[in-house]
Coordinates of all heavy atoms in Angstrom, one line a residue:
K1 N -15.1 13.3 25.5 CA -15.6 14.3 24.6 C -15.7 13.7 23.2 O -14.9 12.8 22.9 CB -14.8 15.6 24.6 CG -13.4 15.4 24.0 CD -12.7 16.8 24.1 CE -11.3 16.5 23.5 NZ -10.4 17.7 23.6
R2 N -16.6 14.3 22.4 CA -16.7 13.8 21.0 C -16.4 15.0 20.1 O -16.8 16.1 20.4 CB -18.1 13.3 20.7 CG -18.3 13.0 19.2 CD -19.6 12.3 19.0 NE -19.7 11.0 19.6 CZ -19.1 9.9 19.2 NH1 -18.4 9.9 18.1 NH2 -19.3 8.7 19.9
V3 N -15.5 14.7 19.1 CA -15.1 15.8 18.2 C -15.4 15.3 16.8 O -15.1 14.2 16.4 CB -13.5 16.0 18.3 CG1 -13.0 17.0 17.4 CG2 -13.2 16.4 19.8
I4 N -15.9 16.3 16.0 CA -16.1 16.1 14.6 C -14.8 16.5 13.9 O -14.4 17.6 14.1 CB -17.3 16.9 14.0 CG1 -18.6 16.4 14.7 CG2 -17.4 16.6 12.5 CD1 -19.7 17.3 14.3
V5 N -14.2 15.7 13.1 CA -13.0 16.0 12.3 C -13.4 16.0 10.8 O -13.6 15.0 10.2 CB -11.9 15.0 12.6 CG1 -10.7 15.4 11.8 CG2 -11.6 14.9 14.1
T6 N -13.5 17.2 10.3 CA -13.7 17.3 8.8 C -12.3 17.2 8.2 O -11.3 17.7 8.7 CB -14.4 18.7 8.5 OG1 -13.6 19.7 8.9 CG2 -15.8 18.7 9.1
G7 N -12.3 16.7 7.0 CA -11.0 16.5 6.3 C -10.1 15.4 6.8 O -8.9 15.3 6.6
A8 N -10.7 14.5 7.6 CA -9.9 13.4 8.2 C -9.3 12.5 7.3 O -8.3 11.8 7.5 CB -10.9 12.6 9.2
T9 N -9.9 12.4 6.1 CA -9.3 11.5 5.0 C -8.2 12.1 4.3 O -7.6 11.5 3.4 CB -10.4 11.0 4.1 OG1 -11.0 12.1 3.5 CG2 -11.5 10.2 4.8
G10 N -7.9 13.4 4.6 CA -6.7 14.0 3.9 C -5.5 13.4 4.5 O -5.4 13.1 5.7
T11 N -4.5 13.1 3.7 CA -3.4 12.3 4.1 C -2.3 13.2 4.8 O -1.3 12.6 5.2 CB -2.8 11.5 2.9 OG1 -2.4 12.5 1.9 CG2 -3.7 10.5 2.4
I12 N -2.5 14.4 4.8 CA -1.5 15.3 5.5 C -2.1 15.8 6.8 O -1.8 15.4 7.9 CB -0.9 16.4 4.6 CG1 -0.2 15.6 3.4 CG2 0.1 17.2 5.3 CD1 0.4 16.5 2.4
V13 N -2.8 16.9 6.6 CA -3.4 17.6 7.8 C -4.4 16.8 8.5 O -4.4 16.6 9.7 CB -4.0 19.0 7.4 CG1 -4.6 19.7 8.6 CG2 -2.9 19.9 6.8
G14 N -5.4 16.2 7.8 CA -6.5 15.5 8.4 C -6.0 14.3 9.2 O -6.4 14.0 10.3
S15 N -5.0 13.6 8.6 CA -4.5 12.4 9.3 C -3.7 12.8 10.6 O -3.7 12.1 11.5 CB -3.5 11.7 8.3 OG -4.3 11.0 7.3
A16 N -3.0 13.9 10.5 CA -2.2 14.4 11.7 C -3.3 14.7 12.8 O -2.9 14.4 14.0 CB -1.4 15.6 11.3
V17 N -4.3 15.3 12.5 CA -5.3 15.7 13.5 C -5.9 14.4 14.1 O -6.1 14.3 15.3 CB -6.4 16.6 12.9 CG1 -7.6 16.8 13.8 CG2 -5.8 17.9 12.5
V18 N -6.3 13.5 13.3 CA -6.8 12.2 13.8 C -5.9 11.5 14.7 O -6.2 11.1 15.8 CB -7.3 11.3 12.6 CG1 -7.6 9.9 13.1 CG2 -8.5 11.9 11.9
A19 N -4.6 11.4 14.3 CA -3.6 10.8 15.2 C -3.4 11.5 16.5 O -3.4 10.8 17.6 CB -2.3 10.8 14.5
R20 N -3.4 12.8 16.5 CA -3.3 13.6 17.7 C -4.5 13.4 18.7 O -4.4 13.2 19.9 CB -3.1 15.0 17.4 CG -2.8 15.8 18.6 CD -2.3 17.2 18.2 NE -1.6 17.8 19.3 CZ -0.8 18.7 19.3 NH1 -0.5 19.3 18.1 NH2 -0.2 19.2 20.3
L21 N -5.7 13.4 18.1 CA -6.9 13.2 18.9 C -7.1 11.8 19.4 O -7.5 11.6 20.5 CB -8.2 13.6 18.1 CG -8.3 15.1 17.8 CD1 -9.4 15.4 16.9 CD2 -8.5 15.8 19.1
L22 N -6.6 10.8 18.7 CA -6.7 9.4 19.1 C -5.7 9.2 20.3 O -5.7 8.2 21.0 CB -6.4 8.4 18.0 CG -7.6 8.2 17.0 CD1 -7.2 7.3 15.9 CD2 -8.8 7.7 17.8
A23 N -4.7 10.0 20.4 CA -3.7 9.9 21.5 C -4.4 10.3 22.9 O -3.8 10.0 23.9 CB -2.5 10.8 21.3
E24 N -5.6 11.0 22.8 CA -6.3 11.4 24.0 C -7.3 10.3 24.2 O -8.3 10.1 23.5 CB -7.1 12.7 23.7 CG -6.2 13.8 23.4 CD -7.0 15.1 23.0 OE1 -8.2 15.1 23.1 OE2 -6.3 16.1 22.6
P25 N -7.1 9.4 25.2 CA -7.9 8.2 25.5 C -9.4 8.5 25.7 O -10.2 7.6 25.5 CB -7.3 7.6 26.7 CG -6.3 8.5 27.2 CD -6.0 9.6 26.3
D26 N -9.8 9.6 26.1 CA -11.2 9.9 26.3 C -11.9 10.6 25.2 O -13.1 11.0 25.3 CB -11.4 10.7 27.6 CG -10.9 10.0 28.9 OD1 -11.0 8.7 28.9 OD2 -10.5 10.7 29.8
T27 N -11.2 10.8 24.1 CA -11.8 11.5 22.9 C -12.4 10.5 21.9 O -11.7 9.6 21.5 CB -10.7 12.3 22.3 OG1 -10.2 13.3 23.2 CG2 -11.3 13.1 21.0
Q28 N -13.6 10.8 21.6 CA -14.3 10.0 20.5 C -14.4 10.9 19.3 O -14.5 12.1 19.4 CB -15.8 9.7 20.9 CG -16.0 9.0 22.3 CD -15.6 7.6 22.1 OE1 -15.9 6.9 21.2 NE2 -15.0 7.0 23.2
L29 N -14.2 10.3 18.1 CA -14.1 11.0 16.9 C -15.3 10.7 16.0 O -15.6 9.5 15.8 CB -12.8 10.7 16.1 CG -11.5 10.9 16.8 CD1 -10.4 10.6 15.9 CD2 -11.4 12.4 17.3
T30 N -15.9 11.6 15.4 CA -16.9 11.5 14.3 C -16.2 12.0 13.1 O -15.8 13.1 13.0 CB -18.2 12.2 14.6 OG1 -18.8 11.6 15.8 CG2 -19.2 12.0 13.4
L31 N -16.2 11.2 12.1 CA -15.5 11.5 10.8 C -16.5 11.6 9.6 O -16.9 10.5 9.2 CB -14.4 10.6 10.5 CG -13.4 10.3 11.6 CD1 -12.3 9.3 11.1 CD2 -12.7 11.5 12.1
P32 N -16.9 12.7 9.2 CA -17.7 12.8 8.0 C -16.9 12.3 6.8 O -15.8 12.9 6.5 CB -18.1 14.3 7.8 CG -17.8 14.9 9.1 CD -16.7 14.1 9.7
I33 N -17.4 11.3 6.1 CA -16.7 10.8 4.9 C -17.7 10.7 3.7 O -18.8 10.1 3.9 CB -16.1 9.4 5.2 CG1 -15.1 9.5 6.4 CG2 -15.4 8.8 4.0 CD1 -14.6 8.2 6.9
R34 N -17.3 11.3 2.5 CA -18.1 11.1 1.4 C -18.1 9.6 0.9 O -17.1 9.1 0.8 CB -17.6 12.0 0.3 CG -18.0 13.4 0.4 CD -17.6 14.2 -0.9 NE -16.3 14.0 -1.3 CZ -15.2 14.8 -0.9 NH1 -15.5 15.8 -0.1 NH2 -14.0 14.6 -1.3
A35 N -19.3 9.1 0.8 CA -19.4 7.6 0.4 C -20.8 7.4 -0.3 O -21.8 8.0 0.3 CB -19.2 6.7 1.5
A36 N -20.9 6.7 -1.3 CA -22.1 6.4 -1.9 C -23.1 5.6 -1.1 O -24.3 5.8 -1.2 CB -21.9 5.7 -3.3
D37 N -22.5 4.7 -0.3 CA -23.4 3.8 0.6 C -22.6 3.4 1.8 O -21.4 3.7 1.9 CB -23.9 2.7 -0.2 CG -22.9 1.9 -0.9 OD1 -21.7 1.7 -0.4 OD2 -23.2 1.3 -2.0
D38 N -23.2 2.6 2.6 CA -22.5 2.2 3.8 C -21.3 1.3 3.5 O -20.3 1.3 4.3 CB -23.5 1.5 4.8 CG -24.5 2.5 5.4 OD1 -24.2 3.7 5.4 OD2 -25.5 2.0 5.9
A39 N -21.4 0.5 2.5 CA -20.3 -0.4 2.1 C -19.1 0.4 1.7 O -18.0 0.1 2.1 CB -20.7 -1.4 1.0
A40 N -19.3 1.5 0.9 CA -18.2 2.3 0.5 C -17.6 3.1 1.7 O -16.5 3.3 1.8 CB -18.7 3.3 -0.6
L41 N -18.5 3.5 2.7 CA -18.1 4.2 3.9 C -17.1 3.2 4.7 O -16.1 3.6 5.1 CB -19.3 4.5 4.7 CG -19.0 5.2 6.1 CD1 -18.3 6.6 5.8 CD2 -20.3 5.4 6.8
G42 N -17.5 2.0 4.9 CA -16.7 1.0 5.6 C -15.4 0.8 4.9 O -14.3 0.7 5.5
A43 N -15.4 0.7 3.5 CA -14.1 0.5 2.8 C -13.2 1.7 2.9 O -12.0 1.5 3.1 CB -14.5 0.2 1.4
R44 N -13.8 2.9 2.9 CA -13.0 4.1 3.0 C -12.3 4.2 4.4 O -11.2 4.6 4.5 CB -13.8 5.3 2.7 CG -13.0 6.6 2.7 CD -12.0 6.7 1.6 NE -11.5 8.0 1.6 CZ -10.3 8.3 1.2 NH1 -9.4 7.4 0.9 NH2 -9.8 9.5 1.2
L45 N -13.2 3.9 5.4 CA -12.6 3.9 6.8 C -11.5 2.9 7.0 O -10.5 3.2 7.6 CB -13.7 3.7 7.8 CG -13.3 3.7 9.2 CD1 -12.7 5.1 9.6 CD2 -14.4 3.3 10.2
A46 N -11.7 1.7 6.4 CA -10.7 0.7 6.5 C -9.4 1.1 5.8 O -8.2 1.0 6.3 CB -11.1 -0.6 5.9
Q47 N -9.5 1.8 4.7 CA -8.3 2.3 3.9 C -7.6 3.4 4.8 O -6.4 3.4 4.9 CB -8.8 2.9 2.6 CG -7.7 3.5 1.8 CD -8.3 4.2 0.5 OE1 -9.4 4.7 0.5 NE2 -7.5 4.1 -0.5
M48 N -8.4 4.3 5.4 CA -7.8 5.3 6.2 C -7.2 4.7 7.4 O -6.1 5.2 7.9 CB -8.8 6.4 6.5 CG -9.2 7.2 5.3 SD -7.9 7.8 4.2 CE -6.9 8.7 5.3
A49 N -7.8 3.8 8.1 CA -7.2 3.2 9.3 C -5.9 2.5 9.0 O -4.9 2.7 9.8 CB -8.2 2.1 9.9
Q50 N -5.8 1.9 7.8 CA -4.5 1.4 7.4 C -3.5 2.5 7.2 O -2.3 2.4 7.7 CB -4.7 0.6 6.1 CG -3.4 -0.1 5.7 CD -3.6 -0.9 4.4 OE1 -4.7 -0.9 3.7 NE2 -2.6 -1.6 4.0
W51 N -3.9 3.6 6.6 CA -3.0 4.8 6.5 C -2.5 5.3 7.8 O -1.4 5.7 8.0 CB -3.7 5.8 5.6 CG -2.9 7.1 5.5 CD1 -3.1 8.2 6.3 CD2 -1.9 7.4 4.5 NE1 -2.2 9.2 5.8 CE2 -1.4 8.7 4.8 CE3 -1.3 6.6 3.5 CZ2 -0.4 9.3 4.0 CZ3 -0.3 7.2 2.8 CH2 0.1 8.5 3.0
W52 N -3.5 5.3 8.8 CA -3.2 5.8 10.1 C -2.3 4.9 11.0 O -2.0 5.2 12.1 CB -4.4 6.2 10.9 CG -5.3 7.3 10.2 CD1 -4.8 8.4 9.6 CD2 -6.6 7.4 10.2 NE1 -5.8 9.1 9.1 CE2 -7.0 8.5 9.5 CE3 -7.7 6.6 10.7 CZ2 -8.3 8.9 9.2 CZ3 -9.0 6.9 10.5 CH2 -9.3 8.1 9.8
G53 N -2.2 3.6 10.4 CA -1.4 2.6 11.2 C -2.2 2.0 12.3 O -1.7 1.6 13.3
L54 N -3.5 1.9 12.1 CA -4.4 1.3 13.1 C -4.9 -0.1 12.6 O -5.8 -0.2 11.8 CB -5.7 2.2 13.3 CG -5.5 3.5 13.9 CD1 -6.8 4.3 13.9 CD2 -4.9 3.5 15.3
P55 N -4.3 -1.2 13.1 CA -4.8 -2.5 12.7 C -6.2 -2.8 13.2 O -6.7 -2.1 14.1 CB -3.8 -3.5 13.3 CG -3.1 -2.6 14.3 CD -3.2 -1.2 14.0
A56 N -6.9 -3.7 12.6 CA -8.2 -4.0 13.0 C -8.5 -4.2 14.5 O -9.5 -3.8 15.0 CB -8.7 -5.2 12.2
A57 N -7.5 -4.8 15.1 CA -7.7 -5.1 16.6 C -7.3 -3.9 17.5 O -7.5 -4.0 18.7 CB -6.9 -6.3 16.9
D58 N -6.9 -2.8 16.9 CA -6.4 -1.7 17.7 C -7.7 -1.1 18.4 O -8.6 -0.7 17.8 CB -5.8 -0.6 16.8 CG -5.1 0.5 17.6 OD1 -5.7 1.0 18.5 OD2 -3.9 0.7 17.3
P59 N -7.6 -1.0 19.8 CA -8.8 -0.5 20.5 C -9.1 1.0 20.2 O -10.3 1.4 20.4 CB -8.4 -0.6 22.0 CG -6.9 -0.7 22.0 CD -6.5 -1.3 20.6
R60 N -8.2 1.8 19.6 CA -8.5 3.2 19.3 C -9.5 3.2 18.1 O -10.3 4.1 18.0 CB -7.3 3.9 18.8 CG -6.3 4.1 20.0 CD -5.0 4.7 19.5 NE -4.3 3.8 18.7 CZ -3.2 4.0 18.0 NH1 -2.7 5.2 18.0 NH2 -2.6 3.1 17.2
R61 N -9.6 2.1 17.4 CA -10.6 2.1 16.3 C -12.1 2.2 16.8 O -12.9 2.7 16.1 CB -10.4 0.9 15.4 CG -9.2 1.1 14.5 CD -9.0 0.0 13.5 NE -10.0 0.0 12.5 CZ -9.9 -0.7 11.4 NH1 -8.8 -1.3 11.1 NH2 -10.8 -0.6 10.4
T62 N -12.3 1.7 18.0 CA -13.6 1.7 18.6 C -14.1 3.1 18.9 O -15.2 3.4 19.2 CB -13.7 0.8 19.8 OG1 -12.9 1.4 20.9 CG2 -13.3 -0.6 19.5
R63 N -13.1 4.1 18.9 CA -13.4 5.5 19.3 C -13.7 6.3 18.0 O -13.9 7.5 18.1 CB -12.3 6.1 20.1 CG -12.2 5.4 21.5 CD -11.3 6.1 22.5 NE -9.9 6.0 22.1 CZ -9.1 6.9 21.8 NH1 -9.5 8.2 21.8 NH2 -7.8 6.7 21.5
I64 N -13.7 5.6 16.8 CA -13.9 6.3 15.6 C -15.3 6.0 15.1 O -15.6 4.8 14.9 CB -12.9 5.9 14.5 CG1 -11.5 6.4 15.0 CG2 -13.2 6.6 13.2 CD1 -10.4 5.9 14.1
E65 N -16.1 7.0 14.8 CA -17.5 6.8 14.2 C -17.5 7.4 12.9 O -17.4 8.6 12.7 CB -18.5 7.4 15.1 CG -19.9 7.3 14.5 CD -21.0 8.1 15.2 OE1 -20.7 8.8 16.1 OE2 -22.1 8.0 14.8
P66 N -17.5 6.6 11.8 CA -17.6 7.1 10.5 C -19.0 7.7 10.2 O -20.0 7.1 10.7 CB -17.2 6.0 9.5 CG -17.7 4.8 10.3 CD -17.4 5.1 11.7
L67 N -19.2 8.8 9.5 CA -20.4 9.3 9.3 C -20.5 9.6 7.8 O -19.7 10.3 7.2 CB -20.6 10.6 10.0 CG -21.8 11.5 9.7 CD1 -23.1 10.8 10.2 CD2 -21.7 12.9 10.3
R68 N -21.5 8.9 7.1 CA -21.7 9.1 5.7 C -22.2 10.5 5.5 O -23.4 10.8 5.8 CB -22.6 8.0 5.1 CG -22.5 8.0 3.6 CD -23.0 6.7 2.9 NE -24.2 6.2 3.4 CZ -25.4 6.4 2.8 NH1 -25.4 7.0 1.6 NH2 -26.5 5.9 3.3
G69 N -21.4 11.4 5.1 CA -21.8 12.8 4.9 C -20.9 13.5 4.0 O -19.8 13.0 3.7
D70 N -21.2 14.8 3.7 CA -20.4 15.6 2.8 C -20.4 17.0 3.4 O -21.4 17.6 3.6 CB -21.0 15.6 1.4 CG -20.2 16.3 0.4 OD1 -19.4 17.2 0.8 OD2 -20.4 16.1 -0.8
I71 N -19.2 17.4 3.8 CA -19.1 18.8 4.4 C -19.5 19.9 3.5 O -19.7 21.0 4.0 CB -17.7 19.0 5.1 CG1 -16.6 19.1 3.9 CG2 -17.3 17.9 6.0 CD1 -15.3 19.6 4.4
A72 N -19.5 19.7 2.2 CA -20.0 20.7 1.3 C -21.4 21.0 1.3 O -21.9 21.9 0.7 CB -19.5 20.4 -0.1
L73 N -22.2 20.0 1.9 CA -23.6 20.1 2.0 C -24.1 20.8 3.3 O -23.5 20.5 4.3 CB -24.3 18.8 1.8 CG -23.9 18.1 0.4 CD1 -24.5 16.7 0.4 CD2 -24.5 18.9 -0.7
P74 N -25.2 21.4 3.3 CA -25.8 21.9 4.6 C -26.0 20.7 5.5 O -26.4 19.6 5.1 CB -27.1 22.5 4.2 CG -27.0 22.9 2.8 CD -26.1 21.8 2.2
R75 N -25.6 20.9 6.8 CA -25.8 19.8 7.8 C -25.1 18.5 7.4 O -25.6 17.5 7.7 CB -27.3 19.6 8.1 CG -28.0 20.8 8.7 CD -29.4 20.4 9.1 NE -30.1 19.5 8.2 CZ -31.2 19.9 7.4 NH1 -31.7 21.0 7.5 NH2 -31.8 19.0 6.6
F76 N -24.0 18.6 6.6 CA -23.3 17.4 6.1 C -24.1 16.5 5.3 O -23.8 15.3 5.1 CB -22.7 16.6 7.3 CG -21.7 17.3 8.2 CD1 -22.0 17.4 9.5 CD2 -20.7 17.9 7.7 CE1 -21.1 18.1 10.4 CE2 -19.8 18.6 8.5 CZ -20.0 18.7 9.8
G77 N -25.3 17.0 4.8 CA -26.2 16.2 4.0 C -27.1 15.3 4.9 O -27.9 14.5 4.3
L78 N -27.1 15.5 6.2 CA -27.9 14.8 7.1 C -29.3 15.4 7.1 O -29.5 16.6 6.9 CB -27.3 14.7 8.5 CG -25.9 14.2 8.6 CD1 -25.4 14.4 10.0 CD2 -25.9 12.7 8.3
D79 N -30.4 14.6 7.5 CA -31.6 15.2 7.8 C -31.6 16.0 9.1 O -30.6 15.9 9.8 CB -32.7 14.2 7.8 CG -32.6 13.1 8.9 OD1 -31.9 13.4 9.9 OD2 -33.2 12.0 8.7
A80 N -32.5 16.8 9.4 CA -32.5 17.6 10.6 C -32.4 16.8 11.9 O -31.6 17.2 12.8 CB -33.8 18.5 10.6
A81 N -33.1 15.7 12.0 CA -33.0 14.9 13.2 C -31.6 14.3 13.4 O -31.0 14.3 14.4 CB -34.0 13.8 13.2
G82 N -31.0 13.8 12.3 CA -29.6 13.3 12.3 C -28.6 14.3 12.7 O -27.7 14.0 13.5
F83 N -28.8 15.5 12.2 CA -27.8 16.6 12.5 C -28.0 17.0 13.9 O -27.0 17.2 14.6 CB -28.0 17.7 11.5 CG -27.0 18.8 11.8 CD1 -25.7 18.7 11.3 CD2 -27.3 19.9 12.5 CE1 -24.7 19.7 11.5 CE2 -26.3 20.9 12.8 CZ -25.1 20.8 12.2
D84 N -29.2 17.1 14.4 CA -29.4 17.5 15.8 C -28.8 16.4 16.8 O -28.2 16.8 17.8 CB -31.0 17.6 16.1 CG -31.5 18.9 15.4 OD1 -30.8 19.7 15.0 OD2 -32.8 18.9 15.3
R85 N -28.9 15.2 16.4 CA -28.3 14.1 17.3 C -26.8 14.3 17.3 O -26.2 14.2 18.3 CB -28.6 12.7 16.8 CG -30.0 12.2 17.3 CD -30.2 10.7 17.0 NE -30.0 10.4 15.6 CZ -31.0 10.4 14.6 NH1 -32.2 10.9 14.9 NH2 -30.7 10.1 13.4
L86 N -26.2 14.5 16.1 CA -24.8 14.8 16.0 C -24.3 15.9 16.8 O -23.4 15.9 17.7 CB -24.4 14.9 14.6 CG -22.9 15.2 14.3 CD1 -22.1 14.1 14.7 CD2 -22.7 15.6 12.8
A87 N -25.0 17.1 16.7 CA -24.7 18.3 17.4 C -24.9 18.1 19.0 O -24.0 18.6 19.7 CB -25.6 19.4 17.0
A88 N -25.8 17.3 19.4 CA -26.0 17.2 20.8 C -24.9 16.3 21.5 O -24.7 16.4 22.6 CB -27.4 16.5 21.0
T89 N -24.2 15.6 20.7 CA -23.2 14.7 21.3 C -21.7 15.2 21.0 O -20.8 14.4 21.3 CB -23.3 13.2 20.8 OG1 -23.1 13.2 19.4 CG2 -24.7 12.6 21.1
T90 N -21.6 16.4 20.5 CA -20.3 16.8 20.1 C -19.8 17.9 21.0 O -20.5 18.8 21.4 CB -20.4 17.4 18.6 OG1 -20.9 16.3 17.8 CG2 -19.0 17.8 18.1
A91 N -18.5 17.9 21.3 CA -17.9 18.9 22.1 C -17.9 20.2 21.4 O -17.9 20.4 20.3 CB -16.4 18.5 22.4
T92 N -18.1 21.3 22.3 CA -18.1 22.6 21.7 C -16.8 23.4 22.2 O -16.2 23.0 23.1 CB -19.3 23.5 22.2 OG1 -19.4 23.5 23.6 CG2 -20.5 22.8 21.6

C-alpha cells in the first residue's frame, strides 16, 4: 500500500508516523515536502532521513518517495494530472 504522510518533516508527530509506517515492510510512503526545487527537496529528505536514523544504505529509504509540494495549496500545488496520478496510487 502507498500512504501519503503530511507533516512528515515534523520532528515529533510526523517523524513518529514515518517510523511506524516504515516498520510495515509492504508500505510505501509519499511525503509532501515544501522545497524550492528538486535539489532542496533532496537535501531536506536527506536531513530528515538522518533524523529518522536511516543511513543512505538502509533499504527502507527506497520505500520513501519525496514529493515537492505544499499541503497548504490545493492538490498540494500539483497540476491536475500529477494529483490524479498520486491519488490513483494511494491507499484509501
Side-chain angles (χ1 to χ4, degrees):
K1 72 181 174 183
R2 177 169 295 279
V3 178
I4 299 172
V5 180
T6 60
T9 59
T11 56
I12 299 177
V13 175
S15 290
V17 170
V18 168
R20 188 168 195 158
L21 290 169
L22 285 175
E24 301 174 6
D26 295 330
T27 300
Q28 305 284 323
L29 305 180
T30 298
L31 310 180
I33 299 173
R34 283 188 306 267
D37 55 32
D38 289 342
L41 178 65
R44 183 68 172 145
L45 180 61
Q47 178 186 33
M48 292 312 303
Q50 183 177 6
W51 176 263
W52 298 323
L54 297 175
D58 191 311
R60 292 175 294 174
R61 285 183 71 161
T62 64
R63 296 189 285 122
I64 299 172
E65 176 189 4
L67 173 69
R68 193 160 50 101
D70 187 335
I71 64 167
L73 298 174
R75 299 185 318 246
F76 301 124
L78 302 173
D79 62 23
F83 185 79
D84 288 347
R85 276 191 305 276
L86 178 64
T89 62
T90 303
T92 56

